Amino acid sequence: MRMRKKQWAQPELNDCPFFCKDAAAHQGDWRKEFCRPEAPLCLELGCGKGGFLSQMGLAHPEQNFIGIDLISNMLGVARRRIVADYEAAGREVENLLIFSWDISRIKEIFPGEKNISAIYINFCNPWPKAGHHKRRLTHPRQLEQYKALLSPDGKIIFKTDDSPLFEASVEYFREAGFRIEYLTRNLGESDFPDSPATEHQLMFEAEGIPTKLLVARPE
Ligand SMILES: C[S@@+](CC[C@H](N)C(=O)[O-])C[C@H]1O[C@@H](n2cnc3c(N)ncnc32)[C@H](O)[C@@H]1O
């Protein structure tokens, strides 16, 4: 996703109480950042403009969510979306945190973590060229990292518009030692509950491209 530089993004993020400026310096004790540190902790990887994160945070006040994205500009947009949604709902942003990090190195910022309840990966870049497959956020070497962070009954929920990425990911999950417990190639016609639409999902579904979704748990 290309985005023009937004001069306001970083200053607004710097003043934002739910934005972490230096994830590397944090040493991974993320739960203490939340009003309810004991609540289940969920991650969204590549949260983009924040629509999914915001809707999940509002729908699940009993859970804490961390949204991670590489691009600060994107997080600036996400911050505005989250503030607007929570204000409209008359709620304080108490169960969300966002920060910038390269997910290919996610284990570095979650040292010793073994208790993440859910990891959401929504419409990640499909990296179609064979030589780039290792960059996919669902590549087995990535899934191995996520698996180490999950609680024994934790899960990964993956959505995409991209059929080749989805079919390859089904194999990636199996290869990395996950059991696929739910799979649909048309979310709109499925019985899957509780998956708010992301910005990319709305865009692709408007073009008639169905969303594929799977839920996987460590075996
Ligand atoms: C195609 S967009 C999808 C955004 C959002 N999840 C949605 O469904 O609308 C992919 C997002 O993942 C982020 N991203 C891609 N690779 C990443 C990485 N290695 N680490 C962190 N974020 C990454 C991009 O900056 C972008 O915001």
Side-chain angles (χ1 to χ4, degrees), residues 164-181:
L165 172 66
F166 188 73
E167 300 309 329
S169 298
V170 169
E171 291 312 310
Y172 295 162
F173 276 98
R174 291 184 178 136
E175 210 178 298
F178 285 84
R179 173 176 53 84
I180 294 176
E181 70 168 31

Side-chain angles (χ1 to χ4, degrees), residues 107-171:
K107 273 181 77 179
E108 292 175 31
I109 48 164
F110 287 96
E113 176 64 56
K114 291 182 167 106
N115 208 20
I116 299 294
S117 297
I119 295 178
Y120 298 92
I121 305 170
N122 294 320
F123 295 82
C124 59
N125 190 313
W127 294 109
K129 289 183 186 164
H132 292 163
H133 286 182
K134 282 188 178 163
R135 300 181 193 179
R136 290 172 163 175
L137 294 188
T138 55
H139 189 274
R141 75 175 179 182
Q142 281 302 120
L143 296 180
E144 295 287 354
Q145 288 200 68
Y146 312 152
K147 195 163 73 168
L149 305 181
L150 284 172
S151 65
D153 64 342
K155 59 187 174 182
I156 298 181
I157 300 101
F158 168 55
K159 288 198 282 191
T160 183
D161 61 299
D162 191 277
S163 291
L165 172 66
F166 188 73
E167 300 309 329
S169 298
V170 169
E171 291 312 310

